[in-house]
Amino acid sequence: MAASAAEETGLDDYTKDGTVDLKGNPVLRSQRGRWKACSFIVVYEVFERMAYYGISTNLIIYLTKKLHQGTVTSANNVTNWSGTVWIMPILGAYVADAHLGRYRTFLVASAICLTGMGILTLAVSLPSLKPPPCSDVNKENCKEASTLQLAVFFGALYMLALGTGGTKPNISTMGADQFDDFHPKEKAQKLSFFNWWMFSIFFGTLFATTILVYIQDNVGWSLGYGLPTIGLAISIVIFLAGTPFYRHKIPNGSPFTTMVSVIVGAIRNWRIPVPNDPKELHELEFEEYSKQGTFRIDSTSSFRFLNKAAVRRGSWKLCTVTQVEETKQILKMIPILICTFIPSTMLAQTHTLFIKQGTTLDRSVGSHFKIPAASLASFVTISMLVSVVIYDRVFVKVMQRITKNPRGITLLQRMGIGMILHILIMTIASRIETHRLKVARENGSPQVLPLTIFTLLPQFMLMGTADAFMEVAKIEFFYDQAPETMKSLGTSFSMTSLGIGNFLSTFLLSTVSHITIKNGNGWILNNLNSSHLDYYYALIAVLSTINFFVFLIISKLYVYKAEVSTSIKVLADELKDKKFKG
């Protein structure tokens, strides 16, 4: 009712969440933002994901077949690069929040991405930049890539990783910024934004894991890398075309500086008692925050020690209560972040060992067509697309009636369901691998087993369903729970999770391989028919189970941050009214 009255009186013409245009002027709600602005932003992400997954999904095949690397080395190179891609957003988030803002940071980073893709396309195209072809099954007999060839190829890969560090945390955050938290209708749209964001960008992933990997395997790597390079260039132009429609958040300084100041201030004042009345702590007037387009946060009792940073003491420069509470909010999210590392480790298997399994199976469809092993990853995408639609259009609506929560279930509950599915996935993967090894033994371990590649379908399909719960909830959780001035940093947490998960996969694979080979029964060898991936998958399932129970304890103790507006309450009240009227 209040929102409608505001609209009628014209008070609702401008956004109230501090968004501005590129010149710093307030923006009219009707002229900028919402789904219209998001349409330009989404196009870039579709092509960026097409480029990333067009590389990462089939990278292990290129490293083993073209650069002649072994299974463990190539798998670790994939996860090390993917880990870097997903860990770099912390740097991109820092630059955006502290200096350039999301829009300008994105422009610089996207140019770096395009340059990296261009060099990478040359690296797979020019004969002088790759070793001569070799069909020997034993890669030790093939000529290794030279130092220069490896330097150009991996240099281009890591240039791309640097660029995506600036695009990934800012493109999705900028998309979410197009919806005003203080407007109930826009808040409702924002609740669905991350579902439809994931739905849209995974069309790029689907194209990469079907068309691109087929082109790479059967036509050529030059065209397979050249197409996403061209697509990336076109998407940057489209993003620039949407500039007149974007809402922007003003950079508010480095979040790391704020956090360090609070922690140092609390330590410096460790002997001073915290007053019982929060009003005695240092804080600015509401007007000061309004001028900066930010929000004041009331003091809470959690991490009470940090409140000492806002206790007045002589001429010492004090932190405000808002700065203290922002620091608390970031610290509160870290245990949840840690619990997402193991699920991210499992996700890394879909681009490494799951694909290597596929190369040992019968990939024929009919008499003339062979499915590229990397195309199995497309089933993750298909499953996720279907699951997101069902979740948003069916599951949420059913749960809204039961819980009266506008989201249907809480973000942490959604993540928990994803973790349960991950345990199931690795258990099934272990059982399927046991069956594959049995068939290999019964047939004398041929290079290609008389077993269809679709045997691996359950673990790929379930991974997509798990992502619809885990990955979408993770992105929304770290964005939603981050302080208003640290949204890019919060969004980067979801990507940091994937980065650490990939590095953890490298560590786990190397450690298990080293220990098991030393004991005379290697679990991960170049010849998968002599390996024991079933044991390795079972180990990950056990680690996932332990991680899930730790997550249950942490999520039970977690307290969601207070909403900066009453929009979520308005939506909840509407749900209650619907039930009453029904």
Side-chain angles (χ1 to χ4, degrees):
M1 293 294 291
S4 298
E7 289 172 2
E8 290 174 5
T9 57
L11 297 177
D12 201 46
D13 290 346
Y14 290 91
T15 57
K16 300 179 180 178
D17 60 352
T19 50
V20 296
D21 63 17
L22 273 176
K23 295 181 179 179
N25 302 314
V27 296
L28 284 169
R29 188 185 309 284
S30 60
Q31 293 182 1
R32 291 175 179 263
R34 295 183 289 190
W35 291 114
K36 183 177 182 179
C38 283
S39 62
F40 294 94
I41 295 172
V42 165
V43 168
Y44 175 84
E45 188 67 357
V46 169
F47 281 97
E48 192 275 333
R49 288 300 175 103
M50 183 177 77
Y52 171 71
Y53 284 102
I55 296 169
S56 65
T57 304
N58 221 15
L59 184 56
I60 193 168
I61 302 299
Y62 187 84
L63 294 177
T64 53
K65 290 190 174 182
K66 300 298 180 181
L67 296 187
H68 312 145
Q69 297 184 341
T71 298
V72 173
T73 300
S74 58
N76 284 346
N77 277 331
V78 172
T79 50
N80 283 338
W81 175 69
S82 294
T84 305
V85 167
W86 293 111
I87 206 83
M88 288 302 291
I90 286 187
L91 175 61
Y94 164 76
V95 172
D97 283 341
H99 302 289
L100 298 181
R102 288 159 199 159
Y103 178 83
R104 292 182 177 86
T105 301
F106 171 83
L107 288 186
V108 173
S110 61
I112 295 173
C113 281
L114 187 59
T115 304
M117 279 299 300
I119 297 174
L120 194 62
T121 302
L122 290 176
V124 301
S125 302
L126 300 179
S128 59
L129 293 178
K130 52 188 176 181
C134 178
S135 57
D136 198 315
V137 176
N138 189 353
K139 296 303 175 186
E140 286 82 358
N141 297 329
C142 297
K143 183 179 179 180
E144 296 181 356
S146 68
T147 303
L148 175 62
Q149 291 167 341
L150 291 175
V152 173
F153 183 78
F154 284 103
L157 277 180
Y158 282 92
M159 179 181 290
L160 183 60
L162 175 64
T164 55
T167 60
K168 284 184 181 296
N170 293 307
I171 192 74
S172 59
T173 309
M174 192 172 165
D177 288 345
Q178 304 311 306
F179 303 97
D180 187 354
D181 273 324
F182 289 84
H183 191 277
K185 184 178 179 181
E186 290 194 22
K187 179 67 175 181
Q189 292 173 333
K190 193 171 190 174
L191 295 182
S192 288
F193 166 74
F194 286 103
N195 285 332
W196 292 104
W197 171 261
M198 295 296 286
F199 181 83
S200 299
I201 63 177
F202 269 82
F203 276 111
T205 307
L206 184 60
F207 182 86
T209 53
T210 52
I211 306 300
L212 280 186
V213 297
Y214 179 81
I215 290 173
Q216 290 164 2
D217 281 4
N218 296 281
V219 180
W221 292 89
S222 301
L223 184 60
Y225 279 19
L227 286 177
T229 302
I230 295 170
L232 204 60
I234 294 172
S235 67
I236 293 173
V237 173
I238 292 174
F239 175 85
L240 287 171
T243 299
F245 305 103
Y246 300 145
R247 300 175 185 176
H248 304 274
K249 289 288 183 74
I250 300 171
N252 289 286
S254 169
F256 298 107
T257 302
T258 298
M259 293 170 65
V260 169
S261 297
V262 169
I263 293 170
V264 170
I267 294 173
R268 186 182 179 91
N269 290 347
W270 72 278
R271 291 187 177 182
I272 300 176
V274 177
N276 293 324
D277 186 358
K279 293 180 180 179
E280 295 181 29
L281 298 173
H282 176 61
E283 183 57 290
L284 304 177
E285 297 297 327
F286 277 109
E287 291 74 16
E288 292 296 319
Y289 290 99
S290 298
K291 290 177 186 176
Q292 302 172 30
T294 56
F295 310 96
R296 198 171 88 170
I297 307 175
D298 293 331
S299 180
T300 64
S301 58
S302 62
F303 293 105
R304 198 165 187 268
F305 171 78
L306 294 178
N307 289 349
K308 292 177 182 289
V311 176
R312 295 182 176 85
R313 179 191 176 191
S315 60
W316 170 252
K317 185 177 180 180
L318 297 173
C319 297
T320 65
V321 169
T322 294
Q323 290 175 322
V324 171
E325 292 303 317
E326 288 174 339
T327 302
K328 289 180 182 180
Q329 195 57 40
I330 292 295
L331 294 177
K332 280 165 58 179
M333 293 193 295
I334 291 177
I336 301 294
L337 172 65
I338 293 172
C339 287
T340 65
F341 293 164
I342 294 295
S344 296
T345 299
M346 284 186 285
L347 193 58
Q349 310 313 309
T350 60
H351 304 308
T352 53
L353 297 180
F354 282 12
I355 302 299
K356 283 294 289 181
Q357 281 179 283
T359 62
T360 69
L361 303 179
D362 181 9
R363 297 181 282 126
S364 300
V365 177
S367 56
H368 302 291
F369 183 75
K370 277 193 174 183
I371 299 174
S375 286
L376 284 172
S378 65
F379 290 102
V380 176
T381 306
I382 293 168
S383 175
M384 183 174 186
L385 292 175
V386 173
S387 298
V388 165
V389 173
I390 294 174
Y391 182 90
D392 194 73
R393 292 303 177 191
V394 179
F395 183 81
V396 169
K397 294 186 185 305
V398 171
M399 295 308 297
Q400 281 177 340
R401 296 192 190 101
I402 298 172
T403 64
K404 304 301 174 291
N405 185 331
R407 286 190 171 92
I409 56 177
T410 68
L411 295 173
L412 291 179
Q413 287 171 340
R414 186 173 180 178
M415 289 170 64
I417 293 172
M419 289 184 182
I420 293 172
L421 289 173
H422 277 132
I423 297 170
L424 181 62
I425 290 165
M426 297 316 294
T427 303
I428 290 174
S430 178
R431 298 297 299 166
I432 289 175
E433 177 62 8
T434 299
H435 175 64
R436 193 193 68 82
L437 289 173
K438 180 182 177 184
V439 173
R441 287 193 299 269
E442 291 173 349
N443 290 273
S445 292
Q447 190 173 347
V448 177
L449 304 181
L451 198 63
T452 176
I453 194 171
F454 294 113
T455 303
L456 301 178
L457 205 55
Q459 61 204 57
F460 282 93
M461 294 289 285
L462 274 174
M463 188 67 79
T465 303
D467 284 355
F469 283 90
M470 183 68 196
E471 294 306 310
V472 179
K474 189 168 68 176
I475 293 174
E476 186 174 355
F477 174 82
F478 289 120
Y479 174 86
D480 183 78
Q481 292 297 293
E484 298 304 308
T485 59
M486 301 180 181
K487 290 297 187 185
S488 292
L489 177 62
T491 303
S492 74
F493 273 19
S494 64
M495 299 168 193
T496 300
S497 164
L498 292 170
I500 299 296
N502 274 278
F503 288 130
L504 188 57
S505 177
T506 298
F507 170 77
L508 197 59
L509 189 66
S510 298
T511 303
V512 169
S513 175
H514 175 73
I515 292 174
T516 55
I517 289 175
K518 188 176 180 181
N519 291 335
N521 187 23
W523 286 9
I524 306 108
L525 305 172
N526 289 341
N527 183 355
L528 293 191
N529 293 340
S530 302
S531 304
H532 264 298
L533 287 184
D534 52 343
Y535 295 170
Y536 182 67
Y537 292 158
L539 172 64
I540 297 178
V542 171
L543 293 176
S544 301
T545 303
I546 296 171
N547 181 74
F548 172 70
F549 284 109
V550 173
F551 172 79
L552 281 182
I553 296 171
I554 291 174
S555 60
K556 190 74 175 176
L557 298 174
Y558 186 84
V559 178
Y560 289 89
K561 80 178 182 72
E563 293 281 346
V564 297
S565 76
T566 59
S567 295
I568 198 74
K569 185 178 183 303
V570 170
L571 295 174
D573 290 342
E574 287 178 357
L575 287 174
K576 293 177 182 177
D577 289 342
K578 285 181 182 178
K579 180 185 177 185
F580 180 76
K581 291 176 181 177

